Amino acid sequence: MKKLMKLVSVAMITTMTVGVLVGCGSSSTTSTPSKKSDSKKIGMVVSTLNNPFFVTLKAGAEAKAKELGYQLLVVDSQNDSSKELSNVQDLLQKGVSAIILNPVDSDAAQSSVMEANNEKIPLITVDRKSNGGEVVCHIASDNVKGGEMAGNFIKEQLGDKGNIAELQGTTGASATRDRGKGFHNIVDVDKNLKVVSSQPADFDRQKGLTVTENMLQSNSNIQAIFAQNDEMALGAVKALGTSGKKAIVVGFDGGDDAKKAVDAGEMTATVAQQPKLMGSMAIENVKKILSGASVAKEIGVDLKLYVKTKK
C-alpha cells in the first residue's frame, strides 16, 4: 500500500512539473514586446518626390530636423494612397514619435491618420488636409486666397474679358478643391470672363502638356490658363509653344523652374508658396507637440504673386 501511495505521489509531482513547464513555454511564445517610440525619431510621408515643390518641402524639414537633433525618416507615397497607408504603417513599426503627413488624397488620408491615432502617435498634415481622423496641426498656405490672387491677376491682365482654361490638380486633394474655389470666387461672378474648359491634370507636367494640347484643339480662342500648380503650368507653356499660340499662363507654388519661366517671359506669373519654410515649420511644431506644448490647429504660411520684374 505504501509503495502504491509513493507511486501516486511521484506521478502527481511529475504531472505538476510538466504543467508548469508547459505553462512557461506557452507564455514565452505568445508574448510580444510592446512597441516603443523613439523621441528623437520623426516620420515624414510625402505625396510624391517627383515634384520640385515637395522636394523643397522635404529639404526644409531635413535641415530643421538636423538643426534640432532629430532623425527624420522620409518616405515617398508616389501619388498612391494605398502606398501612403503602407508607409505610415512602416514608420509606426519603426517607432517614430510623430508623423508629418503630406496626403495624396484628402479623403483617403483618413486611413493613414487613423493608423497613427490608434497607436497614439501625434500626426500633423502639411500642404494638404485629411478629411478625417485626429490631426494635431495643419500647416499650409491659404489655398483659397491663392486661387483668388490668380483669378484677380488674370482678370486684370485680360481687361475683365476673355476665355480662360483651368488645369486642376489631383481629384480629391484639398489643394485642388481650395485653389479652384478661390479662382472661381473671382472669375465666376464676372459674366465677361468665361472658363471654357476645366480639366484635371493631376499636378503633373506631362499631363499638363497633354491636357492643354487637347484644350487648345477644342477651344482655339483661349486667352489665359490657370494651372493649380507650376508643373502643370510648365506643361501648358510647352503646349502653347508647340501650337504656336499665345496665352497668359499663371501657375501656383513658386518653384525655381516656374520663376525662371516667368523671368524668361514664358509664364506670366506664379502664386508663390514657401515649401522650405513649411517643412521647417512642421519640424518646429512637432518639437512643441513632443515637449507637451500646445500648438495652433491651423497655421498659415504667406503667399505672394511672382511676376517678371520690369527693368
Side-chain angles (χ1 to χ4, degrees):
M1 186 68 179
K2 288 183 179 180
K3 187 175 182 180
L4 178 63
M5 290 297 293
K6 184 176 181 181
L7 287 171
V8 171
S9 298
V10 170
M12 290 178 65
I13 292 169
T14 302
T15 302
M16 291 174 64
T17 303
V18 170
V20 170
L21 290 172
V22 169
C24 290
S26 174
S27 176
S28 64
T29 55
T30 57
S31 63
T32 54
S34 59
K35 288 181 290 184
K36 291 186 178 180
S37 61
D38 185 337
S39 62
K40 285 296 181 180
K41 189 185 292 184
I42 301 170
M44 184 175 192
V45 184
V46 183
S47 59
T48 175
L49 289 175
N50 191 31
N51 182 321
F53 178 84
F54 297 118
V55 172
T56 305
L57 177 75
K58 167 180 170 284
E62 286 175 331
K64 182 58 68 171
K66 184 177 180 181
E67 176 189 326
L68 298 180
Y70 288 99
Q71 178 188 2
L72 183 65
L73 305 181
V74 182
V75 287
D76 181 1
S77 298
Q78 300 173 352
N79 273 331
D80 183 336
S81 294
S82 61
K83 187 168 180 59
E84 172 184 290
L85 177 58
S86 176
N87 282 335
V88 170
Q89 291 169 337
D90 287 346
L91 288 173
L92 291 171
Q93 288 294 327
K94 290 176 180 177
V96 296
S97 58
I99 291 178
I100 299 165
L101 175 64
N102 163 237
V104 172
D105 176 280
S106 297
D107 289 329
Q110 178 175 348
S111 297
S112 297
V113 175
M114 292 298 293
E115 284 286 331
N117 293 165
N118 291 339
E119 296 295 333
K120 295 181 171 52
I121 296 298
L123 181 145
I124 71 173
T125 50
V126 180
D127 187 53
R128 301 172 185 171
K129 290 184 176 181
S130 169
N131 290 339
E134 181 60 35
V135 175
V136 182
C137 173
H138 177 63
I139 299 171
S141 305
D142 187 334
N143 284 307
V144 174
K145 182 178 179 180
E148 290 174 345
M149 289 170 67
N152 278 317
F153 178 77
I154 288 173
K155 180 178 178 180
E156 179 185 319
Q157 292 294 304
L158 290 176
D160 296 336
K161 184 178 182 179
N163 295 327
I164 308 168
E166 179 185 22
L167 293 171
Q168 303 168 6
T170 305
T171 302
S174 59
T176 299
R177 181 184 64 248
D178 293 344
R179 292 173 192 180
K181 178 182 178 181
F183 175 68
H184 286 278
N185 282 348
I186 303 302
V187 299
D188 287 357
V189 297
D190 194 326
K191 63 181 181 180
N192 294 319
L193 294 174
K194 186 177 180 182
V195 179
V196 295
S197 184
S198 181
Q199 298 179 38
D202 298 336
F203 293 128
D204 182 83
R205 188 180 302 199
Q206 183 58 43
K207 290 182 181 179
L209 165 63
T210 303
V211 172
T212 303
E213 287 175 337
N214 294 335
M215 285 177 167
L216 293 172
Q217 288 175 4
S218 303
N219 303 276
S220 59
N221 191 28
I222 291 175
Q223 285 97 38
I225 298 172
F226 169 53
Q228 292 181 357
N229 84 333
D230 287 338
E231 288 297 289
M232 295 187 297
L234 291 166
V237 166
K238 189 171 182 180
L240 287 165
T242 302
S243 68
K245 296 179 179 179
K246 292 185 178 180
I248 294 163
V249 179
V250 178
F252 201 118
D253 281 343
D256 290 341
D257 287 351
K259 287 180 178 178
K260 288 176 183 176
V262 170
D263 293 340
E266 298 166 350
M267 269 177 65
T268 315
T270 178
V271 179
Q273 298 195 82
Q274 300 185 69
K276 187 175 183 180
L277 177 60
M278 291 166 69
S280 176
M281 289 173 68
I283 298 295
E284 289 174 342
N285 280 276
V286 164
K287 181 183 179 182
K288 290 179 182 178
I289 292 165
L290 294 177
S291 67
S294 60
V295 298
K297 192 72 175 176
E298 297 206 9
I299 299 174
V301 185
D302 289 340
L303 291 164
K304 63 180 180 179
L305 194 68
Y306 185 90
V307 297
K308 186 176 181 179
T309 304
K310 294 180 180 180
K311 296 182 179 180

